[in-house]
Amino acid sequence: MKLTVWTYEGPPHVGAMRVATAMKGLHYVLHAPQGDTYADLLFTMIERRNHRPPVSYTTFEGRDLGEDTAGLFKRACQDAYDRFKPQALIVGASCTAELIQDDPGGLAETMNLPVPVIALELPSYQRKENFGTDETFYQLVKALAGPVEKTPHITANLIGPLALGFRHRDDIEEVKALLEEMGIGINVVAPFDATPHDLTRLGAAHINILMYPEHAETAARHMERTLGIPFTKTVPIGVGATHDFVAEVARICGVEPKKDLSRLRQPWWSKSVDSTYLTGKRVFLFGDATHVQTAARIARDEMGFEVIGLGCYNREFARPIRQLAKEFGLEALITDDYLEVEKAIEDAAPEMILGTQMERHIGKRLGIPCAVISAPVHVQDFPARYSPQMGWEGANVIFDTWIHPLVMGLEEHLLAMFREDFEFHDEAGASHHGGHAPRAVEGGQPPVSEADSPRSISESKTDMPAPVETGTDVMVWLADAERELKKIPFFVRGKAKRNTEKFAAERGVTEISVDTLYEAKAHYAR
Amino acid sequence: MNRPANIPASTCRDAPILKERGQREVFCGLTGIIWLHRKMQDAFFLVVGSRTCAHLLQSAAGVMIFAEPRFGTAILEETDLAGLADANDELDREVARLLSRRPDIKQLFLVGSCPSEVIKLDLARAAERLTQIHAPHVRVLNYSGSGIETTFTQGEDACLASMVPVLPGTEDRELLLVGALPDVVEDQAVDLLTKMGIGPIHVLPAPRSADAPGIGPNTVFACLQPFLGDTAAALERRGARMIQAPFPFGEEGTTLWLKAIADEFGVDDATFDAVTAAPRARARTAIANASEHLRGKSIFFLPDSQLEIPLARFLTRECGMVAVEIGQPFIHKGLVGPDLDLIPAGPTISEGQDVEKQLDRVRAARPDLTVCGLGLANPLEAEGLTTKWAIELVFTPVHFYDQAGDLAGLFSRPLRRRALLKLEERA
Ligand code: SF4
């Protein structure tokens, strides 16, 4: 039993839904109680899908339990087949149905439906959403993809993009463009928009582009083994990674690594003088392993940031992330405990977070800017505009996205210079974020902003948890020093405060004066 | 003059009910935690469930992410399923850890889920045991929010019902208002009743456990929400008596609800009118403005929040809409009877759901407005239907006079929006 407040991943059957919902002509019959239908809203609201996920829930109730839940399941299967006429069915159990052990796979098999029925075994009490996506796609491929004649021209399958993915829709277009420049055609993209029938043609490709290892690595390995299709190991997110990707594909396919760099602006944007202010920005990375891996390289090599912490929530990829952290001289944070991540970020006191929607909330609370690089996603991660992460345009998009939350170049200096101007004061935040002042770092509670609680049903002012121990209770800031601290721009103030206190504590100083502040500054100067 | 002006000759009270059993598209009772934890400020809701339960809460909470909300899920793991003794030990340990970290918590609700119920984890016993361990500082209660026993708003009912047996006794004649409403509307209700000279007034749930209302044979109570059947029954078992009335939505509903209470407390008509005249007039004006786009429009309710029947009464009688079908997850005539009495026969009244068949009926009827859950709204919009998502009705202040215009506005906004947008290519 583990107490959980917020989770990075849903249960594995939600992963299966992400595969099913991405596809066409496939239907998922899920043995589950009514409340589990909440998952539909992830797709219709967050991703703004204009259709319902192709999922029939059996929605058994308490009174069904002693009776015939198996019969209920079979009826749901038959109804789903009759109504939707899918090319294939997947069947499985949610966490509750797993306990009543009706064996959906076995039941469906006895029905002799005229289409392939693929049973999913997704252990809900051990595994999570990403296991569900990977396993479901693998089972589909295993059941449907057999040896077929190769296409006469060199073609690739793009595998891994699915529903509720972080920018998958646009990444597909970028990767297609990269391949097209090398003269490589597309055989099948899956699961995104693929039909079960399309999956039977997977074997015709010469190479698998493994876009998202989280969702398709098992399928990629299976196809390598059984169909002899090699797959790519480089995920083309970032300038360097995209160059490497092109080289890798060219090597595997024996073609020229042709590329059209005319649309790539990131390198110049990063070299131009306005970007000098990015130098050495201390960033903390957290998300799924693939996006963290690629982001780390971009942060260090292509933005000139300093990576001061990194980690991932999907344990399946703990090993490569630990390896990566070592390369950066760091200890990887592998956890799916949101509070642990928050603590690590608070301790590291980065100037910026590159994370998920969860870290965006952490950033909001700590007053640290955050850009989103990975799922779990929210409605704003599905922009109307074209906004890939992969390929050349992806590199451009990432540059813009990452600097957006930051105070811009010259503005940073102006804020420091005129920090006492009442209209130009630093807590106003970046000028391009109207009204989004980060909270002052010292003490107090995070304000619960309007945006945080539009549905708050209680307007109580007393609804505040007990003040958080900041560890400063034994340390006294003299009035002068406190005033001086306030003159330090807000985005480094927290760090300055903590450093000074640490410096003072190490020397047994209990009263912090202006001198202590500057001695600490000199001590920590890099 | 405070009686409804046009009681229809034939009403929905006796209309046949279309009972459906099939796939449902409704949240489970865990969802209520999202608003209950904001209302009860020294309570913590600990769901004993699976990753799915945690994910439901997170998805339903949407943008409401707080540092550490007063709810969480104790996620059952493989080992907990293997032996119940171990699961109980684990639970005790998690609770002890939680309570030591949150000394501000005075009430802890162990909330049952489908998995905890299927493995027959006895949370009532656990609550007793934990109350003994953590008394007198913390009282531990339990209820079921599981999807195999409860739908959506029934979770609030189960929660409030679990509190009734431990409420202190009283012989005093008191009015109890039952239901977790936003403070702003609760204050309005108390204010109106107080002005009529009615009191003392208490509310269940109280914002803090120390303010828990007393209950006894001289208590009379009125429900603020139409889904509190179990709570009402529990209160009656403690000797309290329910005041029946239509629910306080819209000008008419609010007036009838207040009037029923006023009659119980012997308030004379002059006083009643003096107190209600101004807000009634305000409400009428606001509704008239907001319902301009609703008049003559048809509406179809899919079963969701249990507010469907009272809202249909408001929308048909006060906003001029025409109901095609009014679906509710289940129908408790003891609660919604007075509302059914006021709706003229005509619309289909349905209970339960078989979602695919119901959607076929929606498509056939092509109503001007469809009230449904979040999973169905965008797909129906994509089919050219205009929708209103039901969950907002539970999260937004919509009761009583001064919110009547807002309530009508929630329904008219999607229609106004559809009329405003010019997105199609013009020749
Ligand atoms: S329906 Fe049951 S298993 Fe699903 S979220 Fe609700 S309580 Fe949990």
Side-chain angles (χ1 to χ4, degrees), chain A residues 1-14 27 33-53 55-65 67 72 79 83-84 94-96 98-100 123-129 336 338-339 342 357-358 360-361 364-365 376 378-380 445-446 448-449 451-466, chain B residues 21-28 35-39 41 44 46 48-81 87-88 90-91 93-94 98 101-102 104 114-116 118-119 121 146-152 154 180-184 208 355-357 359-360 363 374-380 382-383 389 391 394-395:
Chain A
M1 212 175 275
K2 183 159 168 26
L3 183 63
T4 304
V5 181
W6 305 115
T7 69
Y8 286 89
E9 293 179 68
H13 72 259
V14 167
H27 200 87
Q34 62 183 349
D36 291 3
T37 61
Y38 79 88
D40 283 1
L41 83 86
L42 304 171
F43 301 92
T44 64
M45 296 302 286
I46 295 179
E47 203 179 6
R48 294 181 207 258
R49 284 199 175 250
N50 62 2
H51 61 92
R52 291 166 62 207
V55 181
S56 294
Y57 304 83
T58 56
T59 59
F60 54 84
E61 297 172 52
R63 60 181 172 193
D64 299 320
L65 287 182
E67 296 167 24
L72 193 65
D79 286 352
R83 182 174 278 266
F84 299 104
S94 76
C95 55
T96 308
E98 189 181 327
L99 297 172
I100 58 180
S124 310
Y125 298 89
Q126 293 167 21
R127 308 308 295 265
K128 291 178 285 187
E129 183 174 333
D336 62 351
Y338 170 79
L339 294 175
E342 181 170 66
Q357 282 297 328
M358 313 276 257
R360 203 173 61 79
H361 285 283
K364 222 152 104 188
R365 261 196 309 285
H378 199 41
V379 64
Q380 67 213 53
Q445 284 298 314
V448 176
S449 71
D452 267 341
S453 56
R455 293 153 176 182
S456 162
I457 76 158
S458 167
E459 249 111 89
S460 162
K461 275 121 212 122
T462 54
D463 184 26
M464 283 296 183
Chain B
R21 262 197 89 181
Q23 183 187 326
R24 290 171 165 241
E25 182 83 21
V26 196
F27 290 158
C28 61
W35 61 89
L36 287 169
H37 91 281
R38 302 291 303 150
K39 187 74 191 173
Q41 292 163 17
F44 193 99
L46 181 64
V48 182
S50 64
R51 182 165 295 281
T52 315
C53 308
H55 199 233
L56 163 106
L57 284 173
Q58 177 161 338
S59 309
V63 293
M64 277 187 42
I65 296 201
F66 298 100
E68 226 198 310
R70 287 184 302 273
F71 63 79
T73 308
I75 295 185
L76 294 163
E77 291 166 339
E78 204 77 335
T79 48
D80 302 308
L81 305 178
N88 278 311
E90 289 271 308
L91 182 61
R93 213 192 46 220
E94 286 301 332
L98 171 73
R101 201 158 43 85
R102 297 293 302 261
D104 50 324
C114 307
S116 79
V118 170
I119 64 169
L121 189 58
S146 82
I148 54 177
E149 296 298 341
T150 62
T151 84
F152 195 15
Q154 256 184 308
L181 290 193
D183 293 349
V184 50
R208 299 189 166 272
V355 68
E356 303 296 349
K357 284 191 195 145
L359 289 175
D360 287 344
R363 291 182 188 111
L374 291 172
L376 296 171
N378 268 336
L380 288 174
E383 292 183 32
W389 7 301
I391 196 164
V394 199
F395 286 179

Side-chain angles (χ1 to χ4, degrees), chain A residues 36-329:
Chain A
D36 291 3
T37 61
Y38 79 88
D40 283 1
L41 83 86
L42 304 171
F43 301 92
T44 64
M45 296 302 286
I46 295 179
E47 203 179 6
R48 294 181 207 258
R49 284 199 175 250
N50 62 2
H51 61 92
R52 291 166 62 207
V55 181
S56 294
Y57 304 83
T58 56
T59 59
F60 54 84
E61 297 172 52
R63 60 181 172 193
D64 299 320
L65 287 182
E67 296 167 24
D68 188 18
T69 48
L72 193 65
F73 176 82
K74 284 164 84 169
R75 270 198 304 286
C77 257
Q78 191 64 49
D79 286 352
Y81 176 76
D82 293 344
R83 182 174 278 266
F84 299 104
K85 291 279 166 1
Q87 296 172 16
L89 272 177
I90 50 179
V91 298
S94 76
C95 55
T96 308
E98 189 181 327
L99 297 172
I100 58 180
Q101 299 181 326
D102 276 338
D103 183 20
L107 289 171
E109 206 175 305
T110 63
M111 295 174 64
N112 293 316
L113 291 168
V115 293
V117 177
I118 297 141
L120 300 175
E121 299 280 346
L122 305 173
S124 310
Y125 298 89
Q126 293 167 21
R127 308 308 295 265
K128 291 178 285 187
E129 183 174 333
N130 281 349
F131 172 81
T133 58
D134 185 72
E135 173 69 11
T136 303
F137 185 53
Y138 163 62
Q139 291 298 340
L140 280 163
V141 169
K142 196 171 95 174
L144 299 173
V148 285
E149 201 180 323
K150 298 276 178 204
T151 56
H153 302 294
I154 296 182
T155 56
N157 297 321
L158 308 191
I159 58 172
L162 37 66
L164 271 182
F166 185 67
R167 309 293 167 84
H168 291 193
R169 173 197 73 192
D170 300 340
D171 284 349
I172 293 170
E173 298 311 312
E174 276 302 305
V175 173
K176 277 185 184 169
L178 291 174
L179 296 174
E180 201 175 297
E181 280 152 24
M182 284 185 272
I184 297 172
I186 304 301
N187 181 51
V188 172
V189 178
F192 201 95
D193 276 353
T195 61
H197 180 255
D198 292 335
L199 298 189
T200 64
R201 294 190 294 106
L202 279 165
H206 300 250
I207 181 173
N208 272 327
I209 308 297
L210 176 55
M211 291 177 65
Y212 307 100
E214 270 82 357
H215 309 312
E217 188 164 343
T218 308
R221 291 190 187 285
H222 170 80
M223 285 190 268
E224 185 179 51
R225 216 167 40 241
T226 59
L227 304 172
I229 308 178
F231 67 92
T232 51
K233 313 288 188 299
T234 317
V235 175
I237 300 181
V239 179
T242 303
H243 282 298
D244 291 355
F245 172 80
V246 171
E248 187 187 10
V249 173
R251 197 180 58 244
I252 294 174
C253 298
V255 299
E256 279 291 302
K258 277 198 218 129
K259 40 197 165 191
D260 171 9
L261 298 178
S262 61
R263 289 180 303 129
L264 176 64
R265 297 182 198 95
Q266 197 279 352
W268 169 243
W269 256 244
S270 197
K271 281 181 203 160
S272 68
V273 292
D274 189 73
S275 298
T276 315
Y277 79 100
L278 300 173
T279 312
K281 281 263 180 219
R282 306 165 64 258
V283 296
F284 194 104
L285 274 54
F286 198 82
D288 72 25
T290 296
H291 286 87
V292 165
Q293 245 163 334
T294 52
R297 178 171 176 187
I298 299 171
R300 184 186 58 192
D301 299 346
E302 299 168 21
M303 301 296 274
F305 291 162
E306 184 194 348
V307 177
I308 61 162
L310 63 81
C312 72
Y313 56 79
N314 47 338
R315 252 167 228 291
E316 291 90 340
F317 288 74
R319 200 184 306 165
I321 289 294
R322 289 216 170 89
Q323 183 59 38
L324 178 76
K326 221 191 239 156
E327 280 167 36
F328 279 75

Side-chain angles (χ1 to χ4, degrees), chain B residues 268-285:
Chain B
D268 60 70
D269 283 356
T271 308
F272 185 85
D273 290 340
V275 173
T276 56
R280 282 182 81 177
R282 273 203 304 275
R284 282 205 195 109
T285 314

